[in-house]
């Protein structure tokens, strides 16, 4: 990611997201599990969030509402509410223009839809209409005269003419057509767009365009990409959107939003430590047979694959057969793994283990069991042959994530199920 772009991201104070094929897939409704984390972490950093969609407020699905965005820029900027439901801005289409539009659709032999602030109606119901509109607004009713009962903010065409369809000259200076589906276009005010709506929010907040980041994928995002300080196109975006984008991220299914924001340093992965929920976590178990009974040890190959592989390989080779636990602290820990029983032996496998497990921003180092208290870790590590590297890392450079005090409950009362760390997990740069 460009360093200048990262610098620009430091000025961002609000992020707007399109819905379909940006926050969620339009065909299946899939939303990545990281999206709630994105909204939560942006909120914690004092960065506002907003929805910028061609959908009406009534078409924002519950899963998106549960994210608690601060603003809803809907109907391509024609209707805006804040999270409390207060109207920030609205722009209706003149009734005379609506009536002229309806007359034109009849002349063209096409169908139409009428969209109010909180509802929409269809001129009729056909298979073509259902294919286009149902994934966005399922079960809309038919009411060709809806404009006589409600203000209209946006209209739709339903046809198979595609880009060959054009508004008549009498309407083209008041309204414009934005294709969003192969069988449908949005009809919006000539000056209306997501950019216009977002600009109203920015003005309301006393911010500037340079403070705005936007995510989108469709042609109705073009003006918004011109307006925002940073524009990010999803992997499935229209080519015209990709051309305007400051950055192209991955698709919804590939966690494109989180990946982009992580690259900008605006969100971070939430680490999950299954060892603090040991009773419910599924995974391989190793049994160590001792003269005082069996020790059952949970392994975490997904979190420390190389370390677990080494442990398994050494066990199969008989490396641990006959080994004593040379350090025992009652109700706290036991330590073993050295054939000499002193904690001073270094095998080729253990000597190379630290190097073998080094990865970018993630390093694992072998320790026999999960220690419950951070203050005890340097003491335990002191008996290992690679103590210098570990202790220096612990004390000066990295944050330790090893269950910390949270794991204390597993060591208290002489619990039977001990947890092989398969490692102390370090985060940071060497």
């Amino acid at each position: 990611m460009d360093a200048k772009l990262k610098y620009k991201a430091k000025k961002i104070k609000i992020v707007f997201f399109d819905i379909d094929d940006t926050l969620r897939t339009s065909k299946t409704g899939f939303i990545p599990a990281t999206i709630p984390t994105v909204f939560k972490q942006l909120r914690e950093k004092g960065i506002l969030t907003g929805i910028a969609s061609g959908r009406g407020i009534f078409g924002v699905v519950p899963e998106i509402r549960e994210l608690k965005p601060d603003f809803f820029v809907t109907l391509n900027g024609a209707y805006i509410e804040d999270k409390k439901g207060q109207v920030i801005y609205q722009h209706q289409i003149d009734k005379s223009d609506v009536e002229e539009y309806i007359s034109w659709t009849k002349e063209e032999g096409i169908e139409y839809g009428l969209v109010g602030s909180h509802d929409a109606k269809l001129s009729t119901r056909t298979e073509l209409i259902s294919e286009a509109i149902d994934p966005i607004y399922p079960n809309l009713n038919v009411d060709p005269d809806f404009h006589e009962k409600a203000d209209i903010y946006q209209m739709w065409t339903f046809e198979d003419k595609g880009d060959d369809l054009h508004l008549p000259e009498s309407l083209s200076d008041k309204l414009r057509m934005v294709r969003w589906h192969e069988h449908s276009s949005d009809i919006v005010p000539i000056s209306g767009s997501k950019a216009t709506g977002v600009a109203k929010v920015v003005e309301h907040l006393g911010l500037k365009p340079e403070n705005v980041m936007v995510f989108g994928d469709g042609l109705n995002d073009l003006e918004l990409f011109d307006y925002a300080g940073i524009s990010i196109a999803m992997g499935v975006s229209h080519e015209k959107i990709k051309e305007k984008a400051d950055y192209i991220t991955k698709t919804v299914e590939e966690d494109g939003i989180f990946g982009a924001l992580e690259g900008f340093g605006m969100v971070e992965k939430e680490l999950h430590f299954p060892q603090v929920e040991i009773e419910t976590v599924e995974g391989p178990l190793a049994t160590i047979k001792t003269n005082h009974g069996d020790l059952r040890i949970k392994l975490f190959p997904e979190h420390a694959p190389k370390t677990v592989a080494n442990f398994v390989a050494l066990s199969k080779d008989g490396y641990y057969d006959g080994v004593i636990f040379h350090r025992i602290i009652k109700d706290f820990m036991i330590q073993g793994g050295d054939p000499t029983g002193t904690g001073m032996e270094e095998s080729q496998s253990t000597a190379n283990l630290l190097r073998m497990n080094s990865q970018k921003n993630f390093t694992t180092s072998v320790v026999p069991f999960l220690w419950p208290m951070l203050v005890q870790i340097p003491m335990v590590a002191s008996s290992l042959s690679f103590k210098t590297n570990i202790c220096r890392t612990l004390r000066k450079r990295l944050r330790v994530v090893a269950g910390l005090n949270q794991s204390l409950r597993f060591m208290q009362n002489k619990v039977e199920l001990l947890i092989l760390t398969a490692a102390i997990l370090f985060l940071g740069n060497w």
Side-chain angles (χ1 to χ4, degrees):
M1 187 176 290
D2 187 276
K4 292 183 178 179
L5 202 55
K6 283 188 175 182
Y7 178 77
K8 287 178 65 177
K10 296 180 182 297
K11 299 180 180 180
I12 299 303
K13 299 185 182 301
I14 186 167
V15 183
F16 282 93
F17 303 91
D18 177 42
I19 296 178
D20 298 296
D21 293 321
T22 298
L23 282 174
R24 71 195 291 267
T25 57
S26 58
K27 292 184 178 180
T28 66
F30 168 75
I31 299 177
T34 57
I35 294 301
T37 300
V38 165
F39 278 72
K40 174 176 173 286
Q41 291 193 10
L42 290 177
R43 190 177 302 116
E44 290 172 349
K45 293 178 182 292
I47 299 174
L48 298 171
T49 57
I51 300 300
S53 176
R55 288 175 177 247
I57 194 77
F58 55 94
V60 178
V61 296
E63 299 93 321
I64 299 298
R65 286 184 174 275
E66 289 171 4
L67 300 173
K68 300 179 180 179
D70 296 286
F71 296 94
F72 296 87
V73 176
T74 65
L75 300 176
N76 290 305
Y79 186 84
I80 305 171
E81 285 186 3
D82 65 13
K83 60 184 177 182
K84 297 180 180 179
Q86 296 178 333
V87 178
I88 303 299
Y89 172 78
Q90 55 184 325
H91 181 80
Q92 304 95 339
I93 299 174
D94 289 343
K95 287 191 180 295
S96 60
D97 294 334
V98 174
E99 292 172 352
E100 184 176 352
Y101 168 76
I102 293 174
S103 297
W104 171 74
T105 62
K106 293 177 180 179
E107 293 173 3
E108 289 287 330
I110 65 176
E111 299 300 333
Y112 62 91
L114 303 173
V115 189
S117 62
H118 288 77
D119 198 5
K121 304 294 183 182
L122 305 173
S123 60
T124 188
R125 173 67 74 169
T126 67
E127 185 176 340
L128 181 147
I129 291 176
S130 296
E131 179 191 351
I133 205 66
D134 283 359
I136 310 298
Y137 303 101
N139 306 316
L140 286 182
N141 294 323
V142 172
D143 184 353
D145 299 320
F146 182 54
H147 61 291
E148 297 177 359
K149 310 175 186 70
D151 290 327
I152 302 302
Y153 293 77
Q154 181 174 290
M155 300 177 289
W156 297 311
T157 66
F158 294 110
E159 28 67 27
D160 56 7
K161 298 187 178 184
D163 293 335
D164 293 331
L165 184 67
H166 301 282
L167 289 170
E169 290 185 10
S170 58
L171 288 175
S172 60
D173 62 340
K174 305 172 187 176
L175 305 173
R176 66 189 184 97
M177 188 180 296
V178 181
R179 178 65 60 171
W180 65 274
H181 187 275
E182 61 177 327
H183 294 145
S184 184
S185 290
D186 291 332
I187 306 299
V188 300
I190 192 71
S191 60
S193 68
K194 289 185 183 181
T196 301
V198 168
K200 294 294 182 182
V201 174
V202 170
E203 180 183 348
H204 174 74
L205 295 171
L207 300 177
K208 299 177 180 179
E210 66 187 34
N211 303 133
V212 180
M213 175 183 285
V214 297
F215 284 82
D217 68 284
L219 293 176
N220 62 351
D221 293 308
L222 284 172
E223 296 86 359
L224 187 56
F225 273 39
D226 285 332
Y227 172 83
I230 297 179
S231 56
I232 303 172
M234 302 301 292
V236 297
S237 297
H238 192 284
E239 287 304 314
K240 290 184 178 180
I241 286 293
K242 290 182 177 180
E243 290 173 6
K244 283 186 177 289
D246 293 305
Y247 181 75
I248 301 174
T249 189
K250 296 180 180 180
T251 64
V252 174
E253 296 89 342
E254 296 170 317
D255 236 354
I257 287 178
F258 189 93
L261 291 175
E262 183 182 31
F264 283 113
M266 296 171 69
V267 299
E268 301 171 353
K269 289 181 179 177
E270 289 191 331
L271 299 177
H272 172 62
F273 306 109
Q275 58 265 48
V276 301
E277 299 174 350
I278 195 68
E279 296 91 347
T280 61
V281 175
E282 296 183 359
L285 284 171
T287 300
I288 297 179
K289 294 184 176 296
T290 78
N291 59 329
H292 286 281
D294 293 349
L295 299 176
R296 292 179 297 127
I297 301 172
K298 181 84 74 174
L299 306 179
F300 297 97
E302 292 184 359
H303 291 72
K306 294 182 180 179
T307 307
V308 171
N310 271 274
F311 172 77
V312 172
L314 290 171
S315 298
K316 288 182 177 180
D317 288 344
Y319 180 81
Y320 299 115
D321 292 352
V323 171
I324 69 170
F325 288 99
H326 59 272
R327 173 174 289 164
I328 301 174
I329 302 177
K330 186 177 180 181
D331 295 329
F332 174 53
M333 56 78 74
I334 56 177
Q335 181 179 350
D338 171 21
T340 69
T342 64
M344 299 302 294
E345 179 67 14
E346 177 179 313
S347 72
Q348 185 63 35
S349 294
T350 55
N352 291 333
L353 199 50
L354 186 61
R355 175 182 57 80
M356 290 174 64
N357 281 279
S358 295
Q359 305 172 33
K360 183 179 180 181
N361 294 327
F362 182 87
T363 303
T364 59
S365 303
V366 167
V367 174
F369 298 100
L370 175 63
W371 317 128
M373 292 189 294
L374 176 60
V375 295
Q376 295 289 347
I377 294 176
M379 176 196 73
V380 174
S382 67
S383 68
L384 301 179
S385 59
F386 43 88
K387 62 184 178 181
T388 304
N389 286 337
I390 294 180
C391 289
R392 182 172 64 247
T393 298
L394 283 170
R395 292 168 182 162
K396 295 183 179 180
R397 300 192 60 181
L398 305 176
R399 289 190 293 118
V400 179
V401 181
L404 303 179
N405 293 336
Q406 292 175 316
S407 64
L408 182 57
R409 60 191 178 92
F410 300 118
M411 284 297 189
Q412 291 175 336
N413 301 320
K414 300 179 180 179
V415 293
E416 295 180 359
L417 183 58
L418 299 179
I419 308 163
L420 179 71
T421 62
I424 296 177
L425 306 180
F426 298 107
L427 297 176
N429 297 312
W430 287 84

